Amino acid sequence: MWQNLSLRGRINLLLALLLALGLAVNIGRQVAEAGPRVQAEDQSVIRLAREFIEMIVADLNEAPDPDARLNQIARDLSRLRHVSITLRDAGGLPLTPPRLDGDADTRAPPAWFVALVHPEQTAVTVPVSIQGKPGSLVITSHPDDEIAEIWDGIVTQLEVGSVIALALFFLMMSVVGRALAPLQSLADTMGKLEGGHYEARVEPGGAPELAAICNKLNHLAATLHEAVEDKRRLAERAVSLQDIERKEIARELHDEFGPYLFSLRAHASALAKLADGRAPSADAVRKHGSAMLEQLNALQQFNRRVLERLRPVGLAELGLRQALESLSRLWRESHPDVAIETSISPALGTTGETADLTIYRIVQEALTNVFRHAGATSVNVVIEPVHQHGRDGRVCARVRVKDNGRGMEPGQKLGFGLVGMRERILALGGTLNVVSGDGGVTVEALVPTGSS
């Protein structure tokens, strides 16, 4: 049963039990004190009545009619509330009528309570002698009024305490309900988040701890929503970049590969016509052959560039260092007016295939942008390990490509190549920053490596 109760039900049940226990303890304390209280009252009344009777009886023989005087004293004392006086002869027979109890009081304590606090009546015998005749006065206590007063106090305490306990219980129920009200809102919001509604938020309220949990959940929901949106944008960007890359390869094949093939076909047709003649000219054949060789060399260079874009040649076989040196050498050959300095720290160590390809692509994309847009005369490439760790605990390699070109225009956005590289590096747990100034553009990336 306890396991099936909600937190609010458990707290309310504990409050009810505590209030009931407090009331029961208070009532039990009064019941436990009732017996000694009645007994003390009983002894006090008996002692006073005995001393009073002994004082009166001492002068009784001097009265004109001692017997009548004694009977009158017994009748007068029997009207007392807490005691009754009975005159008995030497044989113990009563000489005065017994005390008559009053009408039953509707508020009289129950018999079990009387038996609990005063199980036996207290009686004291005072011997008297009137003109030589022995007798006795029996003093019997009747603490009914005291017991009724105690019972009335217990009933009143029970009634008032019950009302106060109920008031406190309902008050605490209201306070607990208001304090725990955000829990249901939290559960509803979590259900919405589980269903994919990441824009759901919970209104902070209740106790400071619950309000803090609500704020944390809202922050978590916002972060999750942003992460899902980033993932969606990354997927869209990946598809877009793939289409753009295919279009660029198709354009290069059409703009460069097509003309080379057309030129080769034209020279081949010319050679075929010369072969049909009776006396082909050696100079003409040499001319067409030389042109075809030039076209084939150009096709080889173009094919190498396309393959480099698709997959770096020799990266897996030669390693990152040799592949970057080969890439720099190709750019130096095609742009001899630009100085390229490449520095790879010996402490870099083994970085892993994924990190090698990412580093190579960063340098390749940065150099491509430099030669296409920067108008720079020098480029400095530095690759070194850093002490900063990635999110997964791996050491990062810092890649910095800096040129002395004209930099980027104010408000200019990054190209698709660098945007794609940034998203790739973010997916790996690294970062990529591009800083442009009067001294050129600096591309700096932190790439998590395979080394720990």
Side-chain angles (χ1 to χ4, degrees):
M1 176 182 177
W2 177 261
Q3 298 296 332
N4 297 328
L5 286 177
S6 64
L7 178 60
R8 181 182 301 179
R10 294 181 183 185
I11 294 177
N12 290 334
L13 180 59
L14 287 176
L15 287 174
L17 292 177
L18 287 175
L19 291 174
L21 180 61
L23 183 60
V25 169
N26 191 22
I27 297 299
R29 179 185 60 82
Q30 292 191 13
V31 172
E33 293 175 355
R37 178 178 171 183
V38 171
Q39 186 176 3
E41 180 71 16
D42 202 15
Q43 297 294 333
S44 176
V45 170
I46 291 292
R47 184 176 64 255
L48 290 176
R50 181 173 183 174
E51 292 176 355
F52 180 69
I53 289 174
E54 288 176 349
M55 181 182 65
I56 295 177
V57 171
D59 300 331
L60 189 62
N61 289 321
E62 299 178 0
D65 188 357
D67 292 333
R69 178 59 179 165
L70 182 61
N71 291 330
Q72 182 65 35
I73 292 173
R75 286 193 298 271
D76 292 340
L77 292 178
S78 295
R79 289 196 295 267
L80 296 177
R81 293 178 56 190
H82 298 291
V83 294
S84 63
I85 309 297
T86 303
L87 178 61
R88 295 184 181 183
D89 58 12
L93 296 176
L95 300 177
T96 57
R99 172 175 174 169
L100 298 177
D101 295 333
D103 297 336
D105 190 357
T106 57
R107 294 181 59 86
W112 64 266
F113 182 73
V114 175
L116 178 66
V117 301
H118 193 254
E120 297 181 356
Q121 288 185 334
T122 304
V124 175
T125 302
V126 179
V128 294
S129 178
I130 305 300
Q131 295 178 353
K133 294 185 296 183
S136 63
L137 287 174
V138 180
I139 305 173
T140 305
S141 67
H142 297 278
D144 297 338
D145 292 338
E146 183 68 20
I147 296 175
E149 182 180 349
I150 295 175
W151 175 254
D152 289 341
I154 292 175
V155 172
T156 302
Q157 179 68 30
L158 182 61
E159 293 174 350
V160 175
S162 299
V163 173
I164 295 176
L166 287 176
L168 289 176
F169 177 69
F170 286 114
L171 178 62
M172 293 303 297
M173 279 185 59
S174 176
V175 173
V176 171
R178 292 177 62 87
L180 300 181
L183 289 179
Q184 184 61 40
S185 181
L186 279 171
D188 296 338
T189 303
M190 289 180 180
K192 293 179 181 178
L193 294 176
E194 184 180 4
H197 302 284
Y198 303 111
E199 71 282 355
R201 298 293 183 273
V202 59
E203 185 68 24
E209 294 82 0
L210 289 178
I213 294 175
C214 293
N215 291 327
K216 293 293 184 181
L217 180 63
N218 290 336
H219 179 70
L220 177 62
T223 304
L224 184 60
H225 184 262
E226 183 179 356
V228 171
E229 286 296 316
D230 290 342
K231 181 180 178 181
R232 182 187 61 80
R233 287 193 295 266
L234 179 60
E236 293 179 354
R237 179 69 67 183
V239 174
S240 177
L241 290 176
Q242 187 178 25
D243 292 339
I244 291 173
E245 187 175 25
R246 289 176 177 177
K247 289 179 182 179
E248 289 184 356
I249 293 176
R251 178 181 56 79
E252 291 184 359
L253 290 175
H254 179 272
D255 294 345
E256 297 191 31
F257 199 77
Y260 290 142
L261 291 178
F262 178 79
S263 178
L264 286 173
R265 182 175 182 178
H267 288 295
S269 298
L271 288 175
K273 290 180 181 180
L274 290 176
D276 291 339
R278 296 181 180 179
S281 171
D283 293 337
V285 173
R286 187 181 299 109
K287 176 182 177 182
H288 289 293
S290 299
M292 292 179 68
L293 288 175
E294 291 179 0
Q295 299 297 324
L296 289 173
N297 289 331
L299 279 175
Q300 286 182 342
Q301 293 293 331
F302 172 73
N303 183 61
R304 183 181 299 176
R305 289 199 304 272
V306 173
L307 291 177
E308 284 288 335
R309 290 186 57 188
L310 296 177
R311 177 71 181 179
V313 179
L315 180 59
E317 296 79 5
L318 302 177
L320 178 63
R321 193 181 305 272
Q322 296 295 331
L324 289 177
E325 290 178 356
S326 176
L327 177 64
S328 300
R329 184 170 58 255
L330 289 176
W331 281 111
R332 291 190 192 98
E333 292 175 358
S334 60
H335 297 80
D337 55 335
V338 179
I340 303 176
E341 296 182 4
T342 303
S343 174
I344 302 178
S345 173
L348 184 61
T350 304
T351 57
E353 182 179 356
T354 302
D356 287 347
L357 182 58
T358 303
I359 294 172
Y360 185 90
R361 289 302 190 193
I362 294 171
V363 176
Q364 184 184 42
E365 184 64 31
L367 291 178
T368 300
N369 289 333
V370 168
F371 291 109
R372 282 184 178 178
H373 311 294
T377 59
S378 67
V379 183
N380 186 20
V381 180
V382 178
I383 303 173
E384 58 186 356
V386 292
H387 297 291
Q388 180 179 357
H389 290 264
R391 286 180 292 183
D392 55 359
R394 294 179 295 175
V395 177
C396 290
R398 179 164 57 196
V399 183
R400 183 187 294 113
V401 180
K402 179 176 177 56
D403 65 72
N404 63 347
R406 56 178 171 267
M408 300 172 62
E409 297 294 333
Q412 181 180 350
K413 295 183 179 180
L414 298 180
F416 288 114
L418 286 178
V419 171
M421 290 308 305
R422 171 178 285 175
E423 292 171 348
R424 177 189 179 113
I425 295 172
L426 288 176
L428 295 177
T431 60
L432 185 142
N433 295 312
V434 179
V435 180
S436 177
D438 296 336
V441 176
T442 301
V443 178
E444 183 173 318
L446 292 179
V447 181
T449 65
S451 59
S452 59

